[in-house]
Amino acid sequence: MKKFTSLLILALGVSTLFAQTDPMYLHTQGFASDIPVTRSSDNNRYFVGCFNGDAMFYDYGTGESFSNVYIVTEKFYEFKAVSNDGVTVGAFGSSLDDMQPMTFTNNQPVALPQGNLPNYYYGCANGISADGNVIGGFIDTEGNTFSPVVWTNGVPTILSYPDKDPLGLPSSGCIIDHVNADGSVITGRLYTDSYDEIGIVWKLNSETGIYESKVFTDHINYDFNYTPDDFEFFTRCYVDFTTGKLSGNGKYLIATYVTPVAQFMDNRYPILFDLESNDTITYKSFDDALGIGVSNDGMVTIATPFLPTPHRDTYVFAPNNNTDGMIFEQYIEETYGYTNFPTEVVATAGTMVVSNDGTSFFGYARGTYTGDIINIYFMPTAPTSVPEVTQKENVTLEATVITDGIVRVMAEIKSARIFDTTGRIIMHVENSNNINISSLSTGLYILETVDMNNNVSANRIVKK
């Protein structure tokens, strides 16, 4: 074979599995270019996201991905969370006004059982435990009342919640946002008649088997004695629970504390709730930031500024440190020695969420010139349950480089996959002879192709 400036291709004729030497930093465009990834499974393998009825799913272990563009049974989908087995939960429907809670497996949506639930016209499943046995969400009845629902092994139950908010106003419903890894801690939002949202947490009583609720009261300063055009409306402090994340162990909940500074102007500070000690930590290094990620040991990621355009940075804060945040790229470089960040990612930074184990990150940036969503995954170690690279046939692949970083396969191919040295699929191309590997870091990879006659070839690729 021939040696090139940026690439060396060698024939591979045996099953291959190597020890990984470098962390993997991926970014994807294409089918999900306008759909940001927002949740990951507890084992860091699966990723989902949705926006305005469009949804995306990505399997980091196999490289397989899809969006509802390719699903024809219904038009609108929301993928909200995913289990360690890739079971996705969310909602589907013929329009955004008639969505119903579902699980999604094998490219098929399955409506969650209604059981003894009252009739409802809208609902969504927003969280799932790591083993998939506990699913949390809500339904919306005809009386415009949200009811928090937990499906335990497929059996639905409406969770109890206070009939009044902390100030004594009647509550008008409640929804579930997050379920922790073992399903013992659930968080959500309590609605008031004034359409305010207050955080609520349910914890499973292991003796009674009942979820017991507690409403958040810290850092909330509401004044309901106002008219819609009254300036007092703009002077209330509150916590925005829609931005954050519940840690997998159920100990921490990250959110955003909003304080007014002038009419139509607010300061936003990430705030971390310790659900075991009932303590809070506020991150005031920035006054225009969102709390977006927290690990099991209290590592925090925040995004600043509040609006993601034209530029947004992610900062990483070590556990119990709310003053010395480190910009994401600097943290990765100092922690893992990784510096090969794609230009478009560095130029736009992004919104990176830390995984439950604190080792991995996922999120999105925006294209420097296009503004498209670019989903990003940083994985220093392979997720669990990753298949090995298997050589099906000993066929030498003929390939050349036509431009720097692009492999041209000299055959009609049906599909091509590139594996890293752990056996993790990091790129999947359909019906294209040109494979762009310019985004891959320097190192050894395995290129596997399937031609139109289903012949399988595999080659080692060394990215110089």
Side-chain angles (χ1 to χ4, degrees):
M1 306 302 287
K2 185 177 180 181
K3 184 175 181 180
F4 300 93
T5 302
S6 63
L7 196 64
L8 177 63
I9 301 181
L10 301 174
L12 173 69
V14 294
S15 297
T16 311
L17 189 63
F18 300 91
Q20 186 178 11
T21 57
D22 295 317
M24 186 57 60
Y25 192 85
L26 304 178
H27 67 290
T28 63
Q29 283 182 289
F31 82 93
S33 60
D34 292 320
I35 309 173
V37 60
T38 54
R39 296 278 186 95
S40 72
S41 58
D42 190 66
N43 61 358
N44 300 331
R45 173 165 176 170
Y46 301 99
F47 301 87
V48 296
C50 59
F51 177 73
N52 199 31
D54 293 327
M56 61 83 69
F57 173 94
Y58 178 63
D59 182 344
Y60 190 77
T62 66
E64 296 179 359
S65 59
F66 63 84
S67 71
N68 60 299
V69 174
Y70 304 104
I71 305 169
V72 296
T73 55
E74 294 288 352
K75 185 175 181 181
F76 295 92
Y77 281 82
E78 293 181 339
F79 291 170
K80 294 289 191 175
V82 60
S83 73
N84 282 350
D85 293 328
V87 177
T88 301
V89 296
F92 72 110
S94 58
S95 74
L96 290 175
D97 296 325
D98 67 352
M99 306 288 276
Q100 58 180 315
M102 68 158 190
T103 60
F104 191 93
T105 55
N106 299 321
N107 292 333
Q108 292 293 329
V110 178
L112 283 165
Q114 181 170 349
N116 293 323
L117 297 177
N119 292 328
Y120 61 90
Y121 67 92
Y122 185 89
C124 186
N126 291 327
I128 187 171
S129 59
D131 61 10
N133 291 334
V134 179
I135 297 171
F138 70 95
I139 58 172
D140 189 1
T141 62
E142 294 182 359
N144 292 323
T145 299
F146 295 126
S147 296
V149 180
V150 167
W151 286 265
T152 303
N153 296 317
V155 179
T157 302
I158 296 179
L159 297 188
S160 63
Y161 58 91
D163 57 4
K164 294 183 179 180
D165 77 350
L167 296 181
L169 290 178
S171 57
S172 61
C174 200
I175 71 171
I176 289 172
D177 289 319
H178 302 280
V179 176
N180 79 324
D182 66 5
S184 63
V185 179
I186 295 172
T187 59
R189 285 166 284 157
L190 177 73
Y191 288 85
T192 71
D193 282 348
S194 299
Y195 300 103
D196 292 293
E197 299 177 350
I198 301 175
I200 184 171
V201 59
W202 293 268
K203 293 186 177 181
L204 182 65
N205 185 319
S206 59
E207 295 183 358
T208 63
I210 297 174
Y211 286 94
E212 300 172 350
S213 67
K214 177 182 178 181
V215 175
F216 292 86
T217 57
D218 293 339
H219 299 83
I220 298 175
N221 178 22
Y222 292 112
D223 185 350
F224 295 99
N225 298 315
Y226 62 84
T227 60
D229 57 350
D230 195 330
F231 177 76
E232 191 68 25
F233 175 82
F234 303 101
T235 64
R236 298 174 300 142
C237 303
Y238 64 95
V239 179
D240 184 353
F241 289 95
T242 65
T243 69
K245 174 179 179 286
L246 176 68
S247 62
N249 59 3
K251 178 176 172 63
Y252 297 106
L253 176 68
I254 188 75
T256 302
Y257 178 42
V258 182
T259 64
V261 293
Q263 191 169 8
F264 301 112
M265 295 180 62
D266 297 315
N267 284 337
R268 290 176 170 85
Y269 307 103
I271 183 170
L272 183 67
F273 293 89
D274 187 325
L275 303 182
E276 294 180 358
S277 67
N278 295 321
D279 294 330
T280 59
I281 299 176
T282 305
Y283 297 78
K284 291 194 173 183
S285 298
F286 309 95
D287 60 8
D288 187 22
L290 304 174
I292 56 173
V294 62
S295 68
N296 287 335
D297 63 356
M299 178 187 292
V300 165
T301 54
I302 72 169
T304 182
F306 164 67
L307 296 176
T309 56
H311 183 90
R312 174 185 272 177
D313 286 319
T314 290
Y315 283 79
V316 181
F317 286 81
N320 302 312
N321 184 341
N322 65 337
T323 58
D324 301 318
M326 187 179 300
I327 197 167
F328 174 73
E329 291 87 347
Q330 180 185 358
Y331 174 81
I332 296 301
E333 180 177 352
E334 294 192 7
T335 304
Y336 300 104
Y338 190 88
T339 58
N340 191 26
F341 298 102
T343 302
E344 65 268 34
V345 172
V346 176
T348 62
T351 307
M352 301 300 292
V353 179
V354 63
S355 63
N356 288 326
D357 62 11
T359 67
S360 304
F361 299 83
F362 66 93
Y364 64 93
R366 289 186 178 272
T368 308
Y369 302 106
T370 65
D372 288 344
I373 293 293
I374 304 172
N375 284 321
I376 308 167
Y377 318 87
F378 180 86
M379 301 289 165
T381 57
T384 57
S385 303
V386 176
E388 294 185 358
V389 181
T390 302
Q391 175 63 32
K392 298 178 181 178
E393 294 182 22
N394 184 10
V395 180
T396 300
L397 172 69
E398 181 184 359
T400 60
V401 176
I402 57 174
T403 59
D404 186 25
I406 298 181
V407 179
R408 170 185 250 181
V409 180
M410 306 301 292
E412 286 290 330
I413 69 167
K414 181 185 299 183
S415 64
R417 302 188 298 176
I418 293 181
F419 299 79
D420 70 7
T421 53
T422 69
R424 177 177 46 198
I425 300 175
I426 59 174
M427 188 178 295
H428 187 187
V429 177
E430 296 285 346
N431 300 317
S432 176
N433 289 43
N434 297 332
I435 304 169
N436 191 335
I437 65 169
S438 59
S439 63
L440 302 184
S441 59
T442 300
L444 176 65
Y445 300 92
I446 297 93
L447 170 64
E448 180 189 81
T449 64
V450 180
D451 65 18
M452 295 301 177
N453 296 318
N454 293 321
N455 294 317
V456 179
S457 304
N459 292 72
R460 293 181 184 181
I461 300 176
V462 179
K463 174 76 178 299
K464 296 286 188 176

